[in-house]
Amino acid sequence: HGDAMSLTGYFMRADASTRHDEPEAEDDFLVFDEPAYRKNDTAPAPLRVGWLFHLVDANDLVSLERPFGDLPYARRERYLRHISSRARPVVMNCVDVKSATGQDIRLHAILLPYTSKQMKRWIDERRLEKPQAAVEKGIEVAKNLGCRVVALGQYTSIVTLNGLKVRDCGLGVTTGNSYAVSLALDALSQAQGEAGRATAECTLAVVGAAGNIGRACAEILGPRYARTILLGSDKPGSRLRLAEVARGIPNAEVSVEPASMLDADVVV
């Protein structure tokens, strides 16, 4: 009847079985029916790509199961805390995308049943084993679906240290950070061409240069510019991280003053 709340709602009862924040489970009970999915996914696709993502918050549960919309937000959160330790990745409907080259790509979105809040807590507490294991399960599902590339979205890239903790699975692995850097480089190249000024004559400023995306942009773009300003916050340790980035970039200088951007011709 599609009534997941009546079937599993007892998770939210305030009894002894729900007092633990994240009960441990030896077995998974939420099973993805892969043969049935494959039966409905028979059209040929030259290239399949998987994308791993997770819920933003407990409101996202309503978009998957509408009856949960009748519950208060706190009860939905409690439900997700309980079920996420047992649930497997959920395969959403696939979609075909035609690239600029004319090639068709089939995108399989694979949901990990966690929220951003749960992911962030594990990161803060340095307990990455559980989310890393969940990412590995998601990658295994992507592989079983015939994907050749899997993209780590949202916190799935952070908990695996930008994919560095992912075991060799025979698939290409990319992250949202990689895509963001690629888009930034393309946009800057276009803007620089429209301005008609050579990069070798310009000053580049990178805001947040100690972060993953900022550092990648600075290391790729810095050598092309006459001068590079690496801007960060005045938090403890920020200058040290910026100085580390600056060592690999010619004519780079460090700043924690936002006004220093006024000296730049190009700002990332």
Side-chain angles (χ1 to χ4, degrees):
H1 295 284
D3 190 357
M5 187 170 69
S6 293
L7 181 66
T8 61
Y10 66 89
F11 289 154
M12 294 173 286
R13 293 178 190 158
D15 57 24
S17 64
T18 59
R19 286 173 191 161
H20 300 290
D21 184 38
E22 291 164 9
E24 297 298 328
E26 292 296 327
D27 301 307
D28 296 320
F29 69 85
L30 190 64
V31 179
F32 159 50
D33 190 355
E34 191 170 308
Y37 183 89
R38 285 185 176 278
K39 187 176 180 181
N40 297 324
D41 179 35
T42 56
L47 177 63
R48 294 174 186 264
V49 174
W51 175 59
L52 301 190
F53 71 110
H54 55 77
L55 303 172
V56 174
D57 54 33
N59 286 329
D60 279 351
L61 180 61
V62 181
S63 64
L64 299 175
E65 298 285 351
R66 290 190 178 181
F68 284 90
D70 296 331
L71 294 177
Y73 184 87
R75 292 192 72 194
R76 271 181 260 141
E77 272 202 323
R78 189 165 67 190
Y79 177 87
L80 286 171
R81 283 199 305 270
H82 194 102
I83 200 173
S84 61
S85 64
R86 296 165 161 82
R88 291 190 181 189
V90 180
V91 179
M92 313 301 287
N93 290 338
C94 58
V95 61
D96 286 354
V97 180
K98 187 177 287 294
S99 75
T101 66
Q103 183 180 20
D104 288 324
I105 299 171
R106 182 158 299 165
L107 174 66
H108 294 275
I110 302 169
L111 169 68
L112 303 185
Y114 304 100
T115 64
S116 298
K117 184 178 180 179
Q118 286 174 290
M119 289 284 199
K120 182 67 165 58
R121 188 178 74 245
W122 285 325
I123 292 170
D124 291 343
E125 295 174 357
R126 300 182 183 276
R127 294 194 296 143
L128 299 182
E129 297 83 4
K130 181 171 290 189
Q132 286 176 1
V135 170
E136 294 284 356
K137 284 184 179 180
I139 292 174
E140 189 63 31
V141 169
K143 189 173 183 178
N144 290 339
L145 290 169
C147 296
R148 289 164 50 189
V149 177
V150 62
L152 305 180
Q154 296 171 287
Y155 279 103
T156 66
S157 63
I158 299 174
V159 299
T160 57
L161 306 185
N162 287 325
L164 294 178
K165 290 295 184 179
V166 172
R167 293 195 304 267
D168 184 6
C169 55
L171 303 183
V173 177
T174 186
T175 69
N177 285 351
S178 303
Y179 188 50
V181 170
S182 177
L183 291 178
L185 298 182
D186 287 347
L188 280 178
S189 178
Q190 180 178 338
Q192 200 83 48
E194 292 172 354
R197 295 188 61 187
T199 56
E201 302 171 357
C202 296
T203 295
L204 167 73
V206 180
V207 183
N212 293 329
I213 294 174
R215 179 168 187 156
C217 286
E219 290 177 346
I220 294 171
L221 292 170
R224 307 177 191 176
Y225 285 80
R227 175 182 169 220
T228 301
I229 302 170
L230 304 176
L231 181 63
S233 72
D234 58 358
K235 293 179 181 178
S238 177
R239 283 184 179 274
L240 290 176
R241 290 192 295 272
L242 292 170
E244 182 184 348
V245 178
R247 280 197 290 271
I249 302 173
N251 302 317
E253 57 190 70
V254 169
S255 174
V256 294
E257 297 296 333
S260 61
M261 283 188 289
L262 297 174
D263 296 332
D265 304 290
V266 177
V267 179
V268 177

